Amino acid sequence: DKIRNGRGGRTTSPPLYLIDFIDLSCFLKDRISEKAAELYRSGHSLSEISQALEISQSASRDHAVRGGATLR
C-alpha cells in the first residue's frame, strides 16, 4: 500500500522513525581528528586547518593532538 508524502504525491517507502537514524558523530570526530593531524604534520598552521575544516582554532588544535600530531 502506498503512503502520501505531504506534497500530494505517493511513495512506497515506509515512514522514517527516530530509531532509523544512526549517530555518526563519534565517527565524524575521529575523521576530523585524523584529517587535522594529517594537515598539521604536512606543515599547515592551526589557523589554516581551522579554516579548511570549518572549526575553531582551539578545536583544530584539540583535533590535531587527538589525531596524534605533536605540536610544534
Side-chain angles (χ1 to χ4, degrees):
D1 102 43
K2 296 188 180 216
I3 302 168
R4 287 196 163 276
N5 70 5
R7 290 181 303 219
R10 294 189 179 271
T11 179
T12 56
S13 301
L16 295 176
Y17 298 98
L18 186 56
I19 197 146
D20 291 333
F21 295 93
I22 300 170
D23 181 16
L24 298 176
S25 60
C26 62
F27 299 112
L28 295 176
K29 286 180 185 177
D30 289 345
R31 182 63 187 124
I32 290 170
S33 296
E34 291 171 11
K35 188 63 177 175
E38 175 188 323
L39 290 169
Y40 192 78
R41 284 192 288 268
S42 69
H44 293 278
S45 69
L46 293 174
S47 178
E48 292 169 333
I49 295 167
S50 68
Q51 289 175 356
L53 300 179
E54 298 180 354
I55 57 178
S56 69
Q57 279 191 336
S58 62
S60 67
R61 179 196 179 284
D62 293 344
H63 280 291
V65 170
R66 189 177 300 128
T70 302
L71 297 181
R72 42 183 189 269

